[in-house]
Amino acid sequence: MNEDWREYITASSRMYPMIIYANLSRRYSNILMSINASAAVFYALGGLVRRSTKNEDDPRGTRFDLPVKMELPFEVNESPIFEITAIVQFLHELSLSSLVAMINSLVVTLILHVSGQIDIIRQGLTQVSSKSYQSSSFLPEIKVLILKHQRIISLSDNIEDLFSWIALMQFLSNTLVICCLGCMIIITIGSNQGAIILTKSILFYVAITLEAFVFCFAGEYLSAKSKSIADAVYESVWYNMTPSQCRTLLLVIVRSQKRLTITAGKVIDLSLEGFTSVMKASASYISVLHAMY
């Protein structure tokens, strides 16, 4: 990425797509960080909502719940132990949610950077086909574009190697969490503790679903962008070129037909169709769990 920015630092026309995608990356990263942080805050607040209890050991008749229920080797309901434990748990939740958001933001940033490079290649193909098809500079210019295309393929393969197993683990865990949260939300609706559970779970459910959607959308967007290179060649004025020049462009089309994508554990492609399958499977499991409850 650093090499790409330094390469086009003096070319304003080719810097424009990169700046657009960089701004999009920043906006999406802020949105993901905000949603995950809000989910952590609401999850913690749900446990701190005061609720009535019938506990003979609590003469006040009320108590607080920790954000995350756990067995501790000391009395946690005493002040200030309760406050310290709650703050530590909240900071732990916030750090984990921020870490997940940063991973998702990194995926979005890398995919959008690749998309910007693909747009630059498409722009270069348009310029070559419209200006240079009768000049001796055609082959050097098309060679530069082919080398850049190969760099994009290498970068995409590196992204795939980095996030493939991460995506698989997140897919499996997200499916399980979505099932459990969905079942818990359905069960607690209308109960005495329904408001507390909804406060803790709704935004958390949205964040988990959004996490699965981000990976699937990134894979779908990368695949669509990689195919657009072949479309750019086909839409150029290739019919005004010589046969040898057309054969050179034909090789670009053939290579672009092998789409770039991100897989989950080298098993399935991450796409919007895959996201739909995850949501369908989660809904089916929620129905089964609700029927068994």
Side-chain angles (χ1 to χ4, degrees):
M1 291 179 63
N2 188 29
E3 293 179 0
D4 293 332
W5 280 97
R6 285 187 297 180
E7 180 180 353
Y8 296 118
I9 195 68
T10 57
S12 58
S13 61
R14 296 190 176 183
M15 277 287 291
Y16 184 69
M18 298 180 66
I19 293 175
I20 290 178
Y21 283 111
N23 291 331
L24 283 176
S25 300
R26 179 177 57 83
R27 293 173 186 172
Y28 287 139
S29 299
N30 292 336
I31 291 173
L32 292 174
M33 291 290 291
S34 300
I35 291 177
N36 281 31
S38 300
V41 170
F42 276 89
Y43 190 85
L45 289 178
L48 296 176
V49 174
R50 186 183 296 270
R51 62 188 180 92
S52 299
T53 59
K54 296 180 180 180
N55 190 346
E56 296 178 355
D57 297 332
D58 189 358
R60 295 172 298 176
T62 59
R63 68 180 178 88
F64 289 105
D65 282 340
L66 288 172
V68 179
K69 293 184 179 180
M70 59 175 58
E71 294 290 338
L72 297 173
F74 50 84
E75 181 58 40
V76 74
N77 289 325
E78 299 294 333
S79 181
I81 298 177
F82 174 83
E83 288 79 4
I84 295 175
T85 306
I87 291 174
V88 171
Q89 287 188 351
F90 170 71
L91 293 177
H92 178 68
E93 292 177 10
L94 189 62
S95 61
L96 289 180
S97 62
S98 300
L99 178 61
V100 172
M102 284 189 289
I103 294 176
N104 296 337
S105 300
L106 179 59
V107 175
V108 173
T109 300
L110 292 175
I111 296 301
L112 290 179
H113 177 76
V114 173
S115 301
Q117 297 303 303
I118 291 176
D119 285 346
I120 291 174
I121 289 182
R122 296 180 60 193
Q123 180 182 352
L125 288 171
T126 302
Q127 293 175 352
V128 167
S129 62
S130 61
K131 298 179 181 179
S132 303
Y133 58 86
Q134 291 180 344
S135 66
S136 59
S137 63
F138 174 82
L139 287 179
E141 291 185 12
I142 200 66
K143 180 180 179 181
V144 171
L145 295 177
I146 291 175
L147 291 176
K148 176 163 285 296
H149 188 201
Q150 187 60 42
R151 286 173 56 186
I152 291 176
I153 295 172
S154 300
L155 178 58
S156 177
D157 291 339
N158 292 334
I159 296 174
E160 158 70 9
D161 294 337
L162 178 62
F163 287 104
S164 177
W165 296 105
I166 296 177
L168 178 62
M169 291 186 293
Q170 287 197 336
F171 246 59
L172 296 177
S173 62
N174 287 349
T175 302
L176 179 62
V177 172
I178 289 173
C179 294
C180 296
L181 279 178
C183 183
M184 184 173 61
I185 291 173
I186 293 175
I187 291 173
T188 56
I189 291 178
S191 63
N192 295 332
Q193 302 299 325
I196 298 176
I197 299 299
L198 290 178
T199 302
K200 295 179 62 175
S201 304
I202 286 295
L203 198 55
F204 186 41
Y205 182 88
V206 172
I208 292 295
T209 305
L210 181 63
E211 181 180 327
F213 176 78
V214 165
F215 274 88
C216 293
F217 180 78
E220 182 78 19
Y221 191 73
L222 180 61
S223 299
K225 273 294 183 180
S226 64
K227 291 181 180 179
S228 66
I229 296 178
D231 296 336
V233 176
Y234 182 76
E235 293 170 359
S236 64
V237 290
W238 53 268
Y239 41 82
N240 290 330
M241 299 181 183
T242 63
S244 61
Q245 293 173 345
C246 289
R247 285 193 293 270
T248 303
L249 293 179
L250 184 61
L251 296 176
V252 178
I253 294 178
V254 172
R255 183 60 186 87
S256 300
Q257 289 177 343
K258 184 179 180 181
R259 63 190 181 93
L260 307 177
T261 186
I262 303 176
T263 63
K266 311 290 184 180
V267 178
I268 59 173
D269 292 339
L270 296 182
S271 61
L272 295 181
E273 182 180 357
F275 176 74
T276 304
S277 300
V278 169
M279 298 307 296
K280 286 182 179 179
S282 300
S284 300
Y285 297 149
I286 289 173
S287 300
V288 173
L289 292 175
H290 185 252
M292 294 173 59
Y293 179 74

